[in-house]
Amino acid sequence: MNPPARWVVVTGVAVLSLIAVAGFAIAIWAAWLFHDMPDASDLADYHPPTATRAYAWDGTLIGEFSRERRIFVPYDAIPPKLAQAFLAAEDHNFFQHGGVDYGGIVRAGAKDIVNIAQGRRLESGSTITQQVAKNILLTNDATLGRKLKEALIARQLEKTLSKERILELYLNEIWLGYRSYGVGAAAYNYFGKSISDLDIAECAYLASLPKGPDNYHPIRRKAQAIGRRNFVIDQMAELGWITRPQADAAKAEDLKVQPEPTRAKYRDADYFVEEVRRRGLATLGDRINEGGYYMRTTLDARLQSAARTALMDGLEKYDRRHGWRGPWGHVTTLTGWEDVAKKSARPAERRTWRAAVVTGVGGGVAQVRTVEGQVGSLAGEDVAWARAGKGIGTGDLVWVDAVAAGPGFRLKQIPIVNGALVAMEPNSGRVLAMVGGYSFSLSSFNRSTQALRQPGSAIKPVVYAAALESGYTPASVVLDAPISLAGANGAIWSPENYKHEYLGPLQLRKGLELSRNTMTVRLAQGVGMNRISALAERMGVTDHMDKVLAMALGAGETTVFKLTGVYAAFVNGGRKVDPHLIEMVQDREGKTIFRADGRDCPRCNAGFNGDESPRIPDAGAQVMDPITAYQITSMLQGVVQRGTGTQALVLGRPVGGKTGTTNDYRSAWFMGFSPKLVVGTFVGFDDNRSLGEGETGAQAALPIFVEFMQEALKGYAPDDFPTPKNAKFAMVRGIREAFRPGTEPKVAIAPEGTNAIGPIPYNQLPLQGLPGQPPPAVPPSKAKKPSDDITGLY
């Protein structure tokens, strides 16, 4: 073979070898590239992570729980104009191509030559189908390998899914900024609307966002946003999806959005919603953040708003009683003070409060200017209040609120005291309202469920219920007098009454109405702490109560939430209901996966066949005799009528309740109720310091209850408390008392001190309701009051 021929052969062999090597390398690269390529058929049953939405009892949206803010919208519910806007912006040939738009790839490829040379990101040229493949099954890497995978998967998707399903996935999956995934969430976050209410301009703006939400931010880059929106509108007109006059009208619209994304229009239930989230997480696990559940809660929006207002008002009134603490800030010059003021944190719930600077003080007048530029003077009484406290001067930064009628401002102060309010339906345990503090925006700690505090005398109804369950009656008499008992480590325990007053032998009713401490301790001796602790645990005061007499005066700890549930048993006939916030949960298909009411009703779903209607058992376990529950309810009505809760008489309704104040006025309680509503209120500092002399439950907590009930009871008929069927009644001291059959007096007991025969000597009345004597007391002369004594309970 001649040399040229040999060269040709060698060259041919070399080329073939190179081709083989290259082919082998490409095969290895392709095998590596596609070995883990997702299967497009996986999307047949794919559901994007969707927010769980929580609703009040009346259907008001109150909150959402999710990692990605998404509201899934099925294809049939997507307005045509919205879909057309996205098609005009992203892929107008969507319904014609098979997943890959080769013309679009050529156009993008030509631009990418320049982009590569200039080090820029590659153009996508991707169809909507390719974007679905990338967003759900692949990564965002701008590489050739990813683009090849994207194209192959897009072709598979077109063979597996319908065009409508692909577009549905795209419109629900895509990131659109403003904390929004998908068009449902974007419509709500940007415009506060459902997608069905969007106009053409709003549809076009949402369709402009896939290219980069930050590039077309509606506030920071409004001009660019309007420009991109108008381009999309023009595209829709050129494609014949809207008319030119419609396009011109849409382009003439301003771009107006909400200042920030909001999860719900209703804003008074932050503590409630957060507690729902925690309990939902405990019940459903992490699925709550992606399952797209429908969650119906027990919240009554009207009562919730009333509860928030009442608690905030009550805490502000307490705070005002204790004086002006001074401004929250101070500036030495009135130039640029607004920058300092804007960094301050006001209670988000006080939407009308404004940061202001004092511009001048003199002659009993203080002039202020708000951060918005409004000027005026503070009310004279507020200036006097401030001067009586820490004083007020030029340059002070303060909170003000406009006077309701006329010019001027009221001086405001954020309380440092806190509190809680829980309102519950007693027969079911539905929590109708919950406020866990003065302001959720300032502190998310929920004092209604998370703060363990001593309940003071608010625990006494449980002690008296244990006595009635043990054979005592409302007419039983126990001595209210000083008492000293041997305590731990040889110390002497000497509980005392509020104001150190003692009334001698008293009937049980009177002792509870007037909240007598020493009488309650003697009663607890007679009943035994074993019985009292067992009842308290059954009723849900606490999981474990120490069997010591101090517990009878509220030395243990509980929460407002738990104690409200305890009081529900007095109103509902002695049943322990399960206090709950979540009534029902359904999955995205409408299947109920959780229901709070676990009672069985086998015939409820059967058609009517002429038989009597199904009888559903009452909710909750019976923890005390219905007569006992009614006796306590009646006694607690007496607390309002004649005892420590007479402020509630202003309600003009059948209501009952019990005050509670702990040692050194550290916590103030009022637990109150009507036949259809049980309410717990608490006031106290987070660090458990004293509220101050005289800040009892009647002074600090009861007014909050009254303000709340004045609004809440507008929705309820003025019914009286139902009586047990087998109760016997007799007049005792002019009061109609309930008794168990066989324990009622055979003749009426006349008003205290007299009857038809003459005066009733106290020494002829039993000092306790059961046979036997209480344990011997230490003589008062030998008593020493320990420093940690529980005293002054009221």
Side-chain angles (χ1 to χ4, degrees):
M1 183 179 294
N2 57 39
R6 186 180 301 112
W7 182 85
V8 171
V9 171
V10 172
T11 302
V13 171
V15 169
L16 290 174
S17 298
L18 288 173
I19 292 174
V21 170
F24 183 69
I26 291 172
I28 292 176
W29 177 74
W32 171 81
L33 180 64
F34 299 120
H35 81 282
D36 61 347
M37 191 170 74
D39 189 343
S41 62
D42 292 342
L43 293 185
D45 297 318
Y46 173 75
H47 296 286
T50 309
T52 291
R53 310 191 87 193
Y55 295 86
W57 189 257
D58 64 357
T60 301
L61 177 66
I62 60 173
E64 293 183 358
F65 315 121
S66 63
R67 291 191 188 88
E68 297 179 354
R69 181 86 189 281
R70 178 182 286 109
I71 302 171
F72 185 82
V73 184
Y75 180 80
D76 291 342
I78 297 172
K81 286 292 181 286
L82 180 61
Q84 290 166 350
F86 276 86
L87 294 177
E90 295 293 313
D91 186 2
H92 65 268
N93 291 324
F94 173 71
F95 282 99
Q96 283 75 47
H97 63 64
V100 178
D101 185 352
Y102 296 104
I105 292 176
V106 171
R107 289 190 297 273
K111 292 181 180 179
D112 283 343
I113 295 174
V114 178
N115 290 339
I116 291 172
Q118 296 179 351
R120 295 178 180 176
R121 186 178 177 86
L122 300 181
E123 291 281 333
S124 69
S126 296
T127 65
I128 281 177
T129 311
Q130 288 176 273
Q131 292 184 58
V132 169
K134 177 190 70 174
N135 292 339
I136 301 177
L137 298 176
L138 298 172
T139 67
N140 286 321
D141 296 337
T143 62
L144 178 61
R146 197 268 294 164
K147 294 291 290 183
L148 287 173
K149 284 185 179 181
E150 180 184 293
L152 289 173
I153 294 175
R155 295 300 300 268
Q156 292 178 17
L157 281 175
E158 293 279 347
K159 296 176 182 178
T160 305
L161 305 177
S162 68
K163 286 284 189 179
E164 291 77 10
R165 172 62 172 159
I166 293 171
L167 188 55
E168 177 187 80
L169 287 172
Y170 172 76
L171 292 176
N172 281 286
E173 183 73 25
I174 192 167
W175 166 244
L176 296 172
Y178 237 48
R179 306 179 195 168
S180 308
Y181 286 86
V183 293
Y188 193 86
N189 282 348
Y190 281 102
F191 302 112
K193 296 181 178 181
S194 168
I195 60 171
S196 60
D197 297 325
L198 297 175
D199 62 23
I200 292 173
E202 290 164 341
C203 291
Y205 174 68
L206 295 185
S208 71
L209 295 172
K211 292 298 184 185
D214 288 341
N215 297 333
Y216 306 110
H217 192 279
I219 298 173
R220 294 194 300 267
R221 309 194 70 179
K222 185 173 180 178
Q224 293 90 331
I226 291 176
R228 175 66 181 172
R229 180 202 68 180
N230 291 348
F231 168 78
V232 175
I233 293 172
D234 285 335
Q235 290 292 103
M236 294 176 71
E238 289 179 15
L239 291 165
W241 291 336
I242 59 174
T243 66
R244 177 50 59 184
Q246 285 178 313
D248 292 341
K251 290 167 65 176
E253 283 187 26
D254 191 12
L255 178 56
K256 295 181 179 180
V257 299
Q258 299 185 117
E260 61 182 11
T262 57
R263 288 186 176 264
K265 295 287 188 182
Y266 184 73
R267 305 295 299 274
D268 286 344
D270 289 337
Y271 285 105
F272 186 99
V273 170
E274 176 58 18
E275 187 66 21
V276 165
R277 187 194 67 81
R278 283 198 290 261
R279 291 171 184 260
L281 195 61
T283 302
L284 302 172
D286 205 44
R287 293 176 297 164
I288 192 175
N289 291 317
E290 58 188 30
Y293 297 118
Y294 163 83
M295 183 178 289
R296 188 175 74 189
T297 72
T298 59
L299 184 87
D300 183 311
R302 182 179 69 87
L303 268 60
Q304 177 66 30
S305 295
R308 182 190 66 79
T309 298
L311 183 65
M312 294 188 78
D313 287 349
L315 296 177
E316 287 172 9
K317 288 174 182 175
Y318 166 89
D319 191 67
R320 191 172 180 91
R321 285 198 299 272
H322 290 267
W324 171 246
R325 297 189 305 277
W328 53 263
H330 184 82
V331 294
T332 56
T333 175
L334 297 182
T335 301
W337 72 272
E338 295 89 348
D339 295 334
V340 178
K342 288 177 181 178
K343 297 177 182 178
S344 60
R346 71 166 171 84
E349 298 81 358
R350 290 304 194 208
R351 300 177 182 98
T352 61
W353 286 19
R354 296 291 181 265
V357 64
V358 178
T359 57
V361 178
V365 177
Q367 297 291 331
V368 297
R369 180 188 299 123
T370 69
V371 73
E372 294 83 7
Q374 298 168 301
V375 295
S377 58
L378 294 178
E381 60 186 286
D382 293 342
V383 176
W385 174 62
R387 284 181 166 175
K390 296 292 185 179
I392 190 168
T394 302
D396 284 349
L397 300 179
V398 297
W399 296 111
V400 299
D401 195 6
V403 175
F409 298 94
R410 297 303 307 266
L411 180 63
K412 296 297 180 179
Q413 178 171 260
I414 299 175
I416 55 175
V417 72
N418 238 300
L421 187 153
V422 174
M424 187 181 301
E425 201 283 315
N427 291 299
S428 65
R430 290 173 51 223
V431 178
L432 306 177
M434 171 190 287
V435 188
Y438 174 73
S439 169
F440 186 86
S441 64
L442 300 181
S443 169
S444 61
F445 181 69
N446 192 333
R447 293 152 192 87
S448 62
T449 59
Q450 295 176 293
L452 286 168
R453 302 296 288 259
Q454 292 180 342
S457 292
I459 199 67
K460 286 177 181 174
V462 177
V463 177
Y464 281 70
L468 295 169
E469 288 283 282
S470 302
Y472 286 76
T473 76
S476 297
V477 176
V478 176
L479 182 63
D480 177 38
I483 183 171
S484 296
L485 302 169
N489 302 318
I492 303 302
W493 183 51
S494 300
E496 298 175 345
N497 288 340
Y498 184 68
K499 296 184 179 179
H500 310 290
E501 297 174 347
Y502 304 92
L503 302 178
L506 294 177
Q507 292 172 327
L508 258 61
R509 167 181 286 278
K510 202 69 172 178
L512 187 55
E513 288 180 356
L514 300 178
S515 199
R516 314 309 291 172
N517 289 337
T518 59
M519 177 177 169
T520 301
V521 171
R522 283 190 171 86
L523 183 64
Q525 283 183 305
V527 175
M529 282 306 300
N530 285 339
R531 289 179 176 176
I532 294 171
S533 296
L535 180 61
E537 291 168 7
R538 289 200 307 274
M539 295 183 73
V541 176
T542 182
D543 293 333
H544 174 75
M545 177 178 280
D546 291 335
K547 298 174 179 60
V548 295
L549 286 172
M551 296 294 152
L553 298 182
E557 292 182 330
T558 188
T559 66
V560 182
F561 185 81
K562 288 182 178 179
L563 202 57
T564 306
V566 169
Y567 273 67
F570 298 135
V571 183
N572 68 27
R575 292 176 288 108
K576 182 187 183 301
V577 294
D578 178 26
H580 60 279
L581 291 77
I582 303 172
E583 190 69 24
M584 181 182 68
V585 180
Q586 293 179 331
D587 65 15
R588 67 176 81 234
E589 307 298 331
K591 178 183 177 182
T592 299
I593 61 173
F594 172 82
R595 187 184 296 275
D597 191 343
R599 293 175 293 174
D600 291 328
C601 183
R603 294 171 41 229
C604 282
N605 294 324
F608 179 70
N609 58 7
D611 292 341
E612 67 173 344
S613 60
R615 297 184 182 274
I616 305 174
D618 292 331
Q622 200 73 38
V623 292
M624 70 179 72
D625 191 291
I627 295 178
T628 297
Y630 180 79
Q631 289 170 326
I632 294 296
T633 296
S634 177
M635 291 181 184
L636 295 179
Q637 282 184 272
V639 171
V640 171
Q641 294 163 356
R642 295 170 295 277
T644 59
T646 54
Q647 288 182 55
L649 285 172
V650 70
L651 297 173
R653 299 285 195 102
V655 293
K658 183 70 189 75
T659 52
T661 310
T662 59
N663 205 34
D664 296 329
Y665 304 98
R666 295 178 185 274
S667 298
W669 299 70
F670 187 78
M671 307 299 300
F673 53 82
S674 69
K676 297 294 177 63
L677 196 60
V678 180
V679 181
T681 54
F682 158 79
V683 175
F685 286 99
D686 287 344
D687 60 6
N688 205 27
R689 77 181 80 166
S690 174
L691 290 167
E693 184 70 24
E695 293 290 353
T696 63
Q699 171 76 357
L702 177 53
I704 297 172
F705 168 83
V706 171
E707 180 178 342
F708 170 71
M709 292 295 270
Q710 284 175 324
E711 175 60 30
L713 291 179
K714 291 178 181 177
Y716 295 89
D719 298 328
D720 209 339
F721 295 93
T723 58
K725 294 179 180 179
N726 60 336
K728 301 297 182 181
F729 290 88
M731 295 300 294
V732 177
R733 305 281 187 251
I735 298 172
R736 187 171 179 261
E737 296 283 14
F739 295 87
R740 285 193 180 84
T743 66
E744 71 276 15
K746 302 307 177 186
V747 295
I749 301 177
E752 188 171 356
T754 64
N755 61 13
I757 300 174
I760 301 175
Y762 278 125
N763 59 10
Q764 293 182 10
L765 297 173
L767 296 186
Q768 60 182 44
L770 289 177
Q773 297 296 321
V778 177
S781 61
K782 298 182 180 180
K784 293 182 180 179
K785 179 179 171 183
S787 60
D788 60 347
D789 187 21
I790 305 298
T791 64
L793 298 156
Y794 180 48

